[in-house]
Amino acid sequence: MTLKLSTLAIALGLFFGLPQIYGIVNPQKFAANVRKFSRNTPIGIVLMLLATAWFLLYVGEESISEFANYKPWLISAFAAVGIGSCIFVQDFLAVRGLAVLFLLLAKLMLDSGRPMLQTTHWTWVIQAWAYVLILIGMWLTVSPFRLRDFLQWATANERRVRIGSAIRLAFGIFILVLGLTKF
């Protein structure tokens, strides 16, 4: 599964940037919502099930013949792990689901950007961002409590919330502009 890099960049820019406006306009409520994320089980279930479905889509599309006979078993096992995580591993489930989504999003970003590497050097922005998401995804998978700690630090006061939101908004706009002009 791949998307045109321009479509992906526009979607990423909007999805990443728009929530930051709320952080700039209403930093106290934004911070309160952000602090609740790590232990929010309902959001964790949604994120984990979304990540599981997306991963199963990739497994279903895989065409390696060595695994063709095992594909139904693998899909069943991976689905059981994803659903089982929602039931048995609810501690920091939102962070774990987000980590898996980061890894899957990074794959999509790399796959979508690869054909454009020879066309424009701006593709490296998306590629580098994908590798950052991979590192963050692996880090959060190993120690999900660190996101809670980081979010507590990042939302400690209104100034940090506004500055962080402004930086993320600027980056989202930058990605959006790349999607509209360079890809």
Side-chain angles (χ1 to χ4, degrees):
M1 178 173 85
T2 60
L3 292 173
K4 285 182 58 180
L5 189 57
S6 60
T7 304
L8 180 61
I10 291 167
L12 287 172
L14 290 172
F15 187 77
F16 191 73
L18 285 178
Q20 308 315 319
I21 296 170
Y22 184 61
I24 294 169
V25 172
N26 197 341
Q28 289 179 335
K29 285 187 180 178
F30 182 81
N33 290 331
V34 167
R35 283 187 205 114
K36 294 176 192 172
F37 173 78
S38 299
R39 299 258 189 199
N40 192 321
T41 302
I43 288 177
I45 290 171
V46 169
L47 292 176
M48 187 59 78
L49 292 177
L50 179 63
T52 300
W54 193 356
F55 182 73
L56 293 176
L57 177 68
Y58 277 136
V59 172
E61 290 179 349
E62 187 58 51
S63 63
I64 297 176
S65 61
E66 288 87 10
F67 295 112
N69 294 335
Y70 303 110
K71 191 182 283 190
W73 295 102
L74 289 173
I75 289 174
S76 298
F78 291 139
V81 167
I83 294 168
S85 295
C86 294
I87 298 167
F88 301 110
V89 191
Q90 291 188 353
D91 194 35
F92 291 112
L93 185 62
V95 179
R96 296 173 199 279
L98 183 66
V100 176
L101 285 174
F102 279 174
L103 296 170
L104 293 166
L105 178 60
K107 179 188 178 348
L108 178 64
M109 292 165 71
L110 292 171
D111 289 348
S112 297
R114 194 169 295 118
M116 294 288 295
L117 283 171
Q118 300 303 319
T119 307
T120 176
H121 293 298
W122 287 107
T123 307
W124 287 106
V125 172
I126 300 295
Q127 301 288 288
W129 187 15
Y131 283 109
V132 168
L133 287 177
I134 290 168
L135 293 173
I136 292 170
M138 290 188 309
W139 184 59
L140 293 178
T141 301
V142 172
S143 52
F145 65 91
R146 299 220 187 257
L147 181 62
R148 177 203 57 205
D149 298 344
F150 174 75
L151 294 178
Q152 289 294 328
W153 175 84
T155 59
N157 58 51
E158 282 188 31
R159 184 169 184 254
R160 281 188 196 169
V161 173
R162 282 198 169 115
I163 290 172
S165 293
I167 291 169
R168 290 185 299 273
L169 177 60
F171 184 71
I173 291 170
F174 173 63
I175 297 297
L176 176 68
V177 169
L178 284 180
L180 293 170
T181 61
K182 297 295 182 181
F183 305 138

